[in-house]
Amino acid sequence: MLLRVADHLYWMGRYIERAENTARAVEAIYPAAPKGSLSTDREWEGLLALTGRRKDFLAKHGPPSPAKILRFVLFDLENPSSLLASLRAARENGRSVSATLSPEMWESLNALWLDLQEVDEGRLLSGGVLPFIDRFKEGAHLFRGVLHSTLAEEEVFRLIDLGTFLERADHIVRILRARHSSLLREGERETHYYSWVAILRSVGALGAYRRVYHDLISPGRVAELLILREEVPCSLHACLDRINDLLRPLAGGIGPEVVRLAADLHFLLHDGRIKEILRNALHEYLIDFTAALQRLGEEIDKGLRISTCA
Amino acid sequence: MKTERASSPQVVGNTAVSRSEQVTLRRGPIDEMKHPDGAIRSHCAPLREWLQAVPPAQLDQKRKEADRLFRRLGITFAVYGEAAGSERLIPFDLIPRIIPAKEWQTLAAGLRQRVAALNAFLHDLYHGQEILKAGRLPAEMIFSNPQYRVEMQGIDLPGGIYVQIAGVDVVHTGEGEFHILEDNLRTPSGVSYMLVNRRIMKRLFPELFALHPVAPVEHYPELLIETLRAAAPEGTVDPSVVLLTPGPYNSAYFEHTFLAQQMGIEAVEAQDLFVRDNKVYMRTMEGPARVDVIYRRIDEDFLDPLAFRADSVLGVPGLLSVYRSGGVAIANAVGTGVADDKAIYAYVPEMIRFYLGQEPILKNVPTYSLRNPDDRSYVLAHLNELVVKEVHGSGGYGMLIGPASTVKERELFRQRILRNPENYIAQPTLALSTCPTFVEQGIAPRHIDLRPFVLSGRTIHLVPGGLTRVALRDGSLVVNSSQGGGTKDTWVLEE
């Protein structure tokens, strides 16, 4: 497989996952969280912080409001991490490898983009965006299904999945960082319960939590589930398991340094104890993890872009 | 020949345009569906009946469905000069253009003959130049032509074939009569439309295919890969073929990835290729992989920045030197452009006589060469009747269509011609045939042409059909997609 094609496949996987993550993050707080002591405006601003584009938003739109934030994170094509912009980037990457994809794969991705880019965002913003998010999720699931039922080449899966799981890990760390303070308030159920739920919903892990613990939601377990429990697909541990497996056969193309970095990260999770992590400052742990993930991403980029063979 | 020219002001190229020929060409266009007396041509009767029976609302819905399918496949087209990211569809007309078996047989034989002669010409030109020595073609037309690539002189290509893929533009000008408009020997495009138009018609109107014995075209990609493999350097076992594309911003990008996908080969960009030890490789996950044949869909000026354009970022440095030493094949070959400019065009019938010893089956449009003073004075006096074209122009740009032009436009062209006469040729306006077409007011005749694709490998292959382009504006003769042209499915009927 061409290195350039590998690069596009990997980024296609990342952007699709990024759009899905945005969809989940919006769903988690939409409609705004039930009344309580939570400030709903803070929820919305948390969504903004999550995308890492708070400064861009303020410069463009001034003081935030829920409607403005929704428009920004879902529809604004000038915001490179909005759902639509991510989908467009996935489609552009897909177009560049449409000779490698099955025609059905390319068509399902292209059709999803065509379908969603012509929605009437004004109507959605006043009437509710969940139908839009549902349409997107259905399309994204269809795309993944088509990928698995029409493709023969193992390498294509690997690269798309590599992008998917790296992006997912990045998203999980972002969510945990954005809400880490609530995770340290074990006794303050009244105040922080909905924040814990929002964390789980933002990564699609509420059901997984119930299946694993069969018990009340507690912040220590939320952290444990999302960081260390490898049996659920929405944990950092599970993501790094997959990334490790995916990278090993690709090492010849991407370079051995990448494999080493991923193995280090995996080792950290494999040997982690949640009590220690929480005792020794969760926030610092997450910051270090973010940096390590970023380094891994950069090494993958380097491996796929800078050719080692000429 | 020079004396012939001098003897008559109406001698064009090397063929005198007789008065009767002029008259023929000025005759009204024929209608693909009807005889001149209005009776329906028998091979069109089932389609015509069907068209009259089908409710307009249903056709309208099918038209929308076709648009949706084209968009979904991503067959969109970027128009130069429009905002980046804007994507347009080439309009697709639902009414097919039908060619009866007999007409196609003549056409196919004529096309094979023509492309065989053009390949023989290119080989001769880059070797012994017998045709120049025999005085059948003026040598200065070659040596002053920027498309003549001196670096190809004496290079032997596998099978002596230069043009693996030709997209010859043909117009139907009279009963059983076709004229060749252009040979397109460099990087002809449009074949994906031939294939996709057929796929969409079969999906929308399966019942029509039960009524007509339409010859299949779907095997084109197989013939193409066979042709490309045959172009590999001698002795190559299981040649590795790639398609070289300028990338996603090129207007034909869909076609490039579509063909690569259909042939199961990589669509590479120049950055994916590199030269080492006089061989060409592509950069893959598994390391460098050898490339034997490059199906280039990129202009030859942009193939190698070392050889042609140093300012190009598109090329593969060193590619030309590998090519010249036989380390890689390029299809179409470098240097084919010299045989398809509009001035050389006039000499193709002579090539057929010279190399094949045959009379041309298909007609050339009589062509006035404005480098010739007699032709020039005739053309300048008759600008309102003629079509003036740039010798190296394409895409329907840089053209004056006399009968449709204003006094001001003609004056502009007169000055351009006088400034640089070698740059222009002129031809009588042709009566392009018309075909019923959906327009805003219903169904009306619109002018069409035809681009069949001729593949030259171990043998010459031609799928029965081609791309039919249609000028959607009333009275317009310009079928180019960049100027409001559309396409139709092309049905060659089996006997």
Side-chain angles (χ1 to χ4, degrees):
Chain A
M1 175 186 294
L2 288 174
L3 272 171
R4 183 178 49 81
V5 168
D7 186 47
H8 285 301
L9 289 172
Y10 163 75
W11 278 102
M12 186 176 75
R14 284 200 76 154
Y15 280 118
I16 287 274
E17 177 68 19
R18 189 171 296 177
E20 289 193 68
N21 289 336
T22 304
R24 272 192 288 267
V26 170
E27 271 184 318
I29 61 160
Y30 185 94
K35 288 206 170 50
S37 54
L38 272 180
S39 148
T40 54
D41 281 355
R42 236 180 57 213
E43 290 291 326
W44 286 105
E45 290 199 44
L47 182 60
L48 198 51
L50 191 63
T51 64
R53 305 262 167 205
R54 195 183 150 78
K55 269 193 194 146
D56 296 349
F57 177 89
L58 294 175
K60 201 173 153 191
H61 300 287
S65 73
K68 281 200 272 184
I69 293 173
L70 255 191
R71 180 189 296 270
F72 185 71
V73 301
L74 289 182
F75 306 117
D76 190 347
L77 285 172
E78 286 172 26
N79 166 15
S81 56
S82 73
L83 189 151
L84 270 189
S86 304
L87 181 58
R88 178 179 62 184
R91 185 237 192 190
E92 287 309 309
N93 279 284
R95 193 203 256 303
S96 296
V97 292
S98 48
T100 305
L101 300 178
S102 67
E104 293 87 350
M105 262 188 88
W106 158 246
E107 274 180 54
S108 80
L109 182 57
N110 189 41
L112 180 59
W113 159 252
L114 293 173
D115 195 22
L116 294 188
Q117 54 110 26
E118 58 186 24
V119 297
D120 178 350
E121 52 178 75
R123 201 171 51 79
L124 285 170
L125 288 170
S126 57
V129 298
L130 290 184
F132 169 83
I133 289 181
D134 286 346
R135 261 161 86 194
F136 164 72
K137 279 167 55 187
E138 268 171 35
H141 297 160
L142 176 65
F143 173 75
R144 293 200 192 280
V146 170
L147 166 66
H148 284 270
S149 54
T150 63
L151 259 179
E153 257 180 292
E154 184 59 27
E155 220 172 9
V156 175
F157 288 116
R158 282 188 178 281
L159 285 151
I160 296 175
D161 276 359
L162 179 63
T164 303
F165 285 100
L166 205 77
E167 187 67 27
R168 187 171 300 170
D170 184 69
H171 178 67
I172 295 168
V173 182
R174 274 171 194 275
I175 293 279
L176 289 171
R177 280 181 68 178
R179 293 176 180 271
H180 74 277
S181 59
S182 78
L183 288 175
L184 300 170
R185 308 294 166 90
E186 187 78 45
E188 300 170 36
R189 171 166 306 277
E190 286 289 297
T191 321
H192 293 290
Y193 175 77
Y194 283 106
S195 181
W196 305 334
V197 172
I199 294 177
L200 291 172
R201 291 182 69 200
S202 299
V203 294
L206 189 55
Y209 184 94
R210 292 187 177 128
R211 280 194 301 279
V212 172
Y213 298 107
H214 318 285
D215 199 359
L216 285 179
I217 292 174
S218 84
R221 282 173 177 168
V222 170
E224 185 193 46
L225 183 78
L226 298 192
I227 298 173
L228 298 179
R229 293 299 283 249
E230 67 175 318
E231 66 267 40
V232 294
C234 46
S235 73
L236 289 176
H237 194 173
C239 290
L240 265 297
D241 270 354
R242 291 287 286 138
I243 290 171
N244 246 332
D245 289 349
L246 292 165
L247 276 175
R248 232 169 281 124
L250 297 174
I254 299 185
E257 176 62 11
V258 184
V259 179
R260 200 184 59 73
L261 276 177
D264 283 355
L265 264 180
H266 182 246
F267 184 72
L268 192 69
L269 294 165
H270 195 71
D271 261 23
R273 299 280 177 277
I274 199 64
K275 277 192 185 136
E276 282 168 40
I277 293 172
L278 291 175
R279 197 169 50 229
N280 305 335
L282 174 65
H283 193 224
E284 266 81 90
Y285 179 88
L286 293 173
I287 288 178
D288 289 350
F289 204 95
T290 309
L293 262 188
Q294 200 171 343
R295 222 167 34 244
L296 179 60
E298 283 164 5
E299 283 298 322
I300 293 175
D301 279 349
K302 241 199 286 180
L304 292 177
R305 285 188 187 168
I306 301 168
S307 158
T308 47
C309 58
Chain B
M1 200 171 57
K2 273 205 167 128
T3 49
E4 244 181 30
R5 267 192 173 164
S7 67
S8 155
Q10 287 191 20
V11 169
V12 292
N14 52 359
T15 323
V17 183
S18 67
R19 299 235 174 261
S20 66
E21 212 169 344
Q22 289 270 6
V23 172
T24 309
L25 292 167
R26 285 198 199 130
R27 200 175 50 198
I30 65 159
D31 186 316
E32 298 283 347
M33 195 175 258
K34 293 178 198 161
H35 289 290
D37 65 4
I40 302 298
R41 296 178 191 273
S42 59
H43 68 272
C44 291
L47 177 66
R48 161 83 175 195
E49 245 170 68
W50 177 87
L51 266 177
Q52 286 181 323
V54 66
Q58 191 187 329
L59 285 175
D60 206 50
Q61 184 253 321
K62 296 277 188 187
R63 204 147 40 140
K64 290 196 180 106
E65 177 68 5
D67 267 16
R68 197 187 66 82
L69 290 170
F70 272 103
R71 278 200 194 280
R72 196 184 149 91
L73 286 169
I75 316 184
T76 43
F77 167 78
V79 177
Y80 296 110
E82 282 192 8
S86 69
E87 291 171 5
R88 292 213 320 220
L89 288 178
I90 294 186
F92 172 65
D93 187 68
L94 296 180
I95 304 177
R97 179 259 186 90
I98 306 183
I99 302 174
K102 275 259 150 44
E103 264 176 26
W104 175 255
Q105 283 155 13
T106 311
L107 252 178
L111 289 165
R112 286 170 199 276
Q113 178 194 52
R114 190 163 174 107
V115 172
L118 283 161
N119 267 314
F121 167 68
L122 282 161
H123 182 80
D124 179 29
L125 193 60
Y126 289 119
H127 291 81
Q129 302 185 334
E130 301 302 329
I131 195 167
L132 305 185
K133 289 177 192 155
R136 307 279 282 270
L137 196 155
E140 76 270 13
M141 283 186 73
I142 301 299
F143 300 123
S144 66
N145 191 324
Q147 296 295 321
Y148 168 72
R149 300 291 188 188
V150 69
E151 53 273 57
M152 292 299 292
Q153 201 61 48
I155 305 291
D156 290 320
L157 299 182
I161 292 178
Y162 287 71
V163 180
Q164 278 77 14
I165 304 103
V168 183
D169 289 342
V170 185
V171 290
H172 193 189
T173 42
E175 300 300 334
E177 185 183 69
F178 291 89
H179 276 89
I180 302 287
L181 220 49
E182 283 178 17
D183 291 300
N184 297 312
L185 307 177
R186 287 172 260 189
T187 55
S189 67
V191 77
S192 60
Y193 287 92
M194 170 182 88
L195 296 168
V196 172
N197 289 356
R198 174 64 52 85
R199 192 194 284 181
I200 286 182
M201 284 300 283
K202 280 192 160 171
R203 181 164 161 162
L204 295 181
F205 305 110
E207 70 274 21
L208 278 179
F209 289 85
L211 292 174
H212 297 84
V214 180
V217 294
E218 287 86 344
H219 54 298
Y220 178 84
E222 248 172 79
L223 296 178
L224 180 58
I225 189 73
E226 184 195 337
T227 301
L228 292 168
R229 287 170 67 100
E234 318 251 339
T236 315
V237 183
D238 193 14
S240 151
V241 181
V242 297
L243 184 151
L244 176 59
T245 169
Y249 300 106
N250 187 272
S251 59
Y253 188 65
F254 169 80
E255 176 156 309
H256 304 163
T257 55
F258 176 82
L259 289 176
Q261 206 273 336
Q262 295 276 304
M263 291 189 284
I265 65 174
E266 297 282 0
V268 303
E269 295 174 20
Q271 53 176 320
D272 299 325
L273 299 180
F274 67 95
V275 166
R276 195 167 65 194
D277 301 333
N278 208 32
K279 294 179 185 76
V280 178
Y281 296 91
M282 55 183 157
R283 304 173 212 273
T284 76
M285 292 286 284
E286 297 76 33
R290 183 78 189 272
V291 171
D292 301 304
V293 180
I294 299 174
Y295 173 28
R296 52 119 173 171
R297 296 296 303 259
I298 163 177
D299 195 85
E300 66 192 23
D301 279 344
F302 298 100
L303 280 175
D304 181 351
L306 299 182
F308 298 132
R309 293 182 60 141
D311 59 334
S312 161
V313 290
L314 294 175
V316 183
L319 176 59
L320 255 290
S321 118
V322 182
Y323 176 54
R324 294 183 67 232
S325 66
V328 71
I330 297 178
N332 290 342
V334 171
T336 54
V338 68
D340 80 349
D341 87 34
K342 294 181 174 73
I344 299 289
Y345 162 89
Y347 293 85
V348 178
E350 198 54 27
M351 294 174 196
I352 294 171
R353 291 181 197 107
F354 186 75
Y355 297 109
L356 309 179
Q358 299 168 0
E359 272 308 301
I361 298 170
L362 299 172
K363 292 185 175 171
N364 244 34
V365 183
T367 300
Y368 300 91
S369 170
L370 298 197
R371 62 193 300 131
N372 176 313
D374 299 328
D375 283 8
R376 189 159 66 237
S377 56
Y378 176 82
V379 168
L380 289 175
H382 296 84
L383 277 179
N384 58 338
E385 299 166 12
L386 299 167
V387 178
V388 182
K389 296 177 180 174
E390 279 182 29
V391 170
H392 305 299
S394 71
Y397 292 106
M399 217 164 113
L400 176 81
I401 300 180
S405 65
T406 62
V407 176
K408 212 170 139 194
E409 285 165 348
R410 289 199 291 275
E411 188 48 38
L412 194 75
F413 258 81
R414 173 192 311 279
Q415 284 164 18
R416 283 195 203 163
I417 292 167
L418 289 173
R419 223 174 304 136
N420 192 2
E422 301 80 50
N423 201 29
Y424 294 92
I425 56 105
Q427 293 170 336
T429 50
L430 286 174
L432 270 62
S433 64
T434 64
C435 185
T437 300
F438 279 107
V439 296
E440 270 180 40
Q441 303 79 24
I443 296 176
R446 289 290 180 271
H447 292 291
I448 56 171
D449 79 347
L450 175 67
R451 176 178 291 182
F453 294 86
V454 186
L455 298 174
S456 305
R458 290 205 175 80
T459 56
I460 299 182
H461 290 297
L462 193 61
V463 296
L467 172 63
T468 293
R469 298 184 297 176
V470 52
L472 293 171
R473 260 184 304 125
D474 189 16
S476 170
L477 296 169
V478 185
V479 295
N480 304 78
S481 54
S482 51
Q483 300 202 42
T487 71
K488 284 169 171 288
D489 193 11
T490 308
W491 292 359
V492 171
L493 298 184
E494 286 175 335
E495 265 180 317

